[in-house]
């Protein structure tokens, strides 16, 4: 019998601090050893890693698979969504459990687990989510944190959809999350500003997809971030601002950090590629998401923040809708389902910058693997290549150039907003707890083989981890 199941030989192993050649041995579900290259170990399978980068499996802390919304549901189910993630080198995702009115957050979490378990091809977790904002929901926060859902998501916007949390409950939730030692995730947009701007658009007959951006100005994001961080400071609650889209929002976060507020943030691939001009072009409805696409100067500020570490992580915010769902109400921006796919492209958009020499591979590993593992309670089992860690690994070929076209994009919605763009670098092999899920760039996964992860608490002190 061979001592190891898989040996990945001679790859350049990337950590947040640098990269070095090593042989990586897998036994069962874990990394068994890191050895000098040329170790000549006895393994059942040896993979040639030369000229390739070996990265920890990436973690996507923000997806919405088969989520009922806008009178329909997101089209990527837990199988297609996790398959798409795996193709992009992502080996753990965290989805949400929106409450239906009258349901408790814990009931919603149980319902989502039953849906996900038979379908996921990589490991997953769930965020507790309050979309039925009332005292009983808020009082369940501690139970959720202790049950392996240490991150609780709330919405400061979407009043019309009934998901919004008013300020009094928001302050109470922050207190509950702080006392339970969890982390609040927040969709930060000021709903009143949005409502006012929406009415103005409607009054002047500005109803196309471009009005979606005009009705959600940057100040709505900035103000909500400032407000939630002011409340968070009162009770020293850890906060994670999801889908940051503006330079002004980033400045608000930096100012709060300077005052000692424990706040982290992510941006999403679409804000790094597109600006709001696409919304006024034919097919603009495909690019409707919230917060909306912004100005080129915001895009540049987000890249800058990602590169220098002021933005900590990357979430896909995968919320895929079929073309018919997107196009049905394209004459009225208020009815267009909000969201775009991204589970696969999240890593590619940023790895492309690595392959072009615009970002170090180490920075990529920190923001896509290590930091989300620490922030979302997966560390030390996930997010790093170390003996004893889960064998969640992605072997990237940085020289491969490919076009984001449908055969390469795994989706059931028949389109991608990245259509025709070319990207450098692709994972050729991906392992999830030692199982090969992508081989030679193609799926080899099995629905249900992924596992629910009951997550622990935040394991990161700002910048020192
Ligand atoms: O437009 C978006 N982002 N849809 C998904 C729900 C959310 O706000 O994250
Ligand atoms: Zn959101
Ligand atoms: Zn989202």
């Amino acid at each position: 019998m061979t001592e190891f199941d898989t040996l990945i030989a001679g790859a350049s192993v990337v950590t947040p601090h640098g990269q070095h050649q090593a042989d990586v041995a897998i036994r069962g579900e874990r990394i068994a050893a890191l050895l000098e290259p040329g170790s000549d170990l006895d393994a059942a399978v040896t993979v040639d890693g030369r000229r390739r980068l070996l990265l920890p499996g990436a973690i996507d802390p923000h997806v919405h698979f088969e989520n009922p919304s806008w009178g329909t549901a997101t089209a990527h189910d837990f199988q297609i969504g996790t398959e798409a993630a795996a193709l992009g080198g992502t080996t753990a995702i965290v989805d949400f459990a929106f409450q239906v009115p009258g349901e408790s957050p814990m009931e919603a979490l149980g319902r989502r687990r039953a849906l996900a378990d038979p379908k996921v091809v990589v490991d997953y977790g769930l965020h507790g989510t309050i979309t039925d904002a009332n005292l009983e929901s808020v009082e369940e926060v501690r139970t959720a944190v202790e049950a392996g859902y240490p991150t609780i998501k709330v919405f400061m916007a979407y009043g019309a959809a009934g998901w919004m949390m008013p300020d009094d409950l928001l302050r109470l939730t922050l207190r509950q999350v702080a006392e339970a030692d969890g982390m609040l995730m927040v969709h930060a947009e000021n709903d009143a500003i949005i409502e006012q701007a929406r009415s103005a658009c409607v009054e002047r007959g500005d109803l196309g997809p471009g009005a979606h951006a005009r009705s959600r100005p940057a100040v709505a994001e900035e103000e909500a971030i400032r407000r939630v961080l002011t409340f968070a400071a009162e009770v020293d609650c850890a906060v994670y601002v999801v889908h940051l889209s503006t330079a002004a929002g980033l400045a608000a976060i930096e100012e709060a950090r300077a005052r000692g507020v424990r706040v982290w943030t992510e941006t999403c691939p679409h804000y790094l590629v597109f600006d709001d001009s696409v919304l006024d072009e034919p097919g603009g409805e495909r690019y409707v998401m919230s917060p909306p696409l912004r100005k080129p100067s915001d895009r540049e500020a987000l890249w800058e923040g990602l590169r220098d570490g002021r933005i900590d992580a990357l979430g896909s915010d995968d919320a895929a809708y079929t073309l018919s769902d997107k196009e049905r109400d394209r004459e009225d921006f208020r009815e267009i389902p909000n969201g775009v796919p991204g589970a696969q492209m999240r890593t590619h958009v940023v790895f492309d910058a690595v392959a072009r020499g615009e970002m170090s591979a180490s920075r990529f590993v920190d923001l896509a693997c290590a930091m989300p593992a620490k922030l979302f309670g997966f560390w030390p089992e996930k997010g790093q290549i170390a003996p004893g860690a889960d064998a969640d690994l992605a072997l990237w070929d940085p020289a491969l150039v490919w076009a984001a076209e449908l055969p390469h994009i795994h989706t059931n919605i028949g389109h991608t907003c990245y259509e025709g763009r070319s990207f450098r670098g692709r994972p050729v092999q991906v392992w999830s707890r030692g199982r090969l899920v992508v081989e030679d760039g193609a799926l080899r996964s099995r629905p249900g083989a992924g596992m629910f992860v009951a997550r622990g608490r935040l394991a990161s002190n700002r910048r020192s981890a």
Side-chain angles (χ1 to χ4, degrees), residues 12-26:
S12 192
V13 172
V14 187
T15 75
H17 311 291
Q19 56 191 78
H20 59 281
Q21 303 289 125
D23 286 357
V24 175
I26 300 174

Side-chain angles (χ1 to χ4, degrees), residues 62 64 153 243 317:
H62 187 163
H64 302 276
K153 164 88 174 284
H243 50 45
D317 199 5

Side-chain angles (χ1 to χ4, degrees), residues 192-370:
I193 294 177
I194 293 167
E195 278 308 318
Q196 192 176 44
R198 268 160 80 107
S199 300
C201 288
V202 174
E203 269 165 37
R204 61 176 185 263
D206 182 12
L207 287 172
H212 179 72
R214 291 186 278 281
S215 72
R216 302 182 94 98
V219 67
E221 179 171 90
E222 181 190 354
E223 188 283 331
I225 290 175
R226 288 188 189 281
R227 183 160 28 108
V228 67
L229 296 183
T230 303
F231 297 157
E234 293 183 290
V235 289
D236 190 25
C237 186
V239 174
Y240 182 86
V241 177
V242 298
H243 50 45
L244 180 75
S245 66
T246 58
L250 180 55
I253 288 170
E254 285 180 74
E255 286 168 33
R257 279 176 185 156
R259 296 193 304 272
V261 179
R262 293 190 294 143
V263 52
W264 291 265
T265 191
E266 67 174 18
T267 191
C268 308
H270 33 273
Y271 302 121
L272 297 168
V273 175
F274 306 106
D275 61 62
D276 61 0
S277 59
V278 295
L279 288 162
D280 284 315
E281 289 169 10
E285 62 278 358
R286 298 182 188 195
Y287 300 88
V288 166
M289 84 287 290
S290 293
L293 294 171
R294 303 294 189 183
K295 301 295 174 199
S297 55
D298 292 300
R299 190 177 56 201
E300 286 319 306
L302 296 174
W303 271 113
E304 198 59 42
L306 262 190
R307 276 192 289 264
D308 67 22
R310 284 171 298 143
I311 295 178
D312 306 277
L314 197 61
S316 69
D317 199 5
D318 187 288
Y321 294 94
T322 60
L323 266 187
S324 61
D325 278 342
K326 279 294 206 187
E327 289 173 354
R328 184 174 305 119
D329 292 304
R330 65 179 160 198
E331 311 302 335
D332 184 347
F333 71 95
R334 295 168 296 176
E335 303 298 330
I336 302 170
N338 286 198
V340 291
Q344 183 177 355
M345 291 308 296
R346 178 186 75 112
T347 47
H348 287 297
V349 163
V350 180
F351 192 91
D352 186 65
V354 173
R356 289 174 192 276
E358 293 161 7
M359 179 187 284
S360 73
S362 288
R363 178 69 198 124
F364 178 87
V365 164
D366 200 21
L367 70 91
C369 315

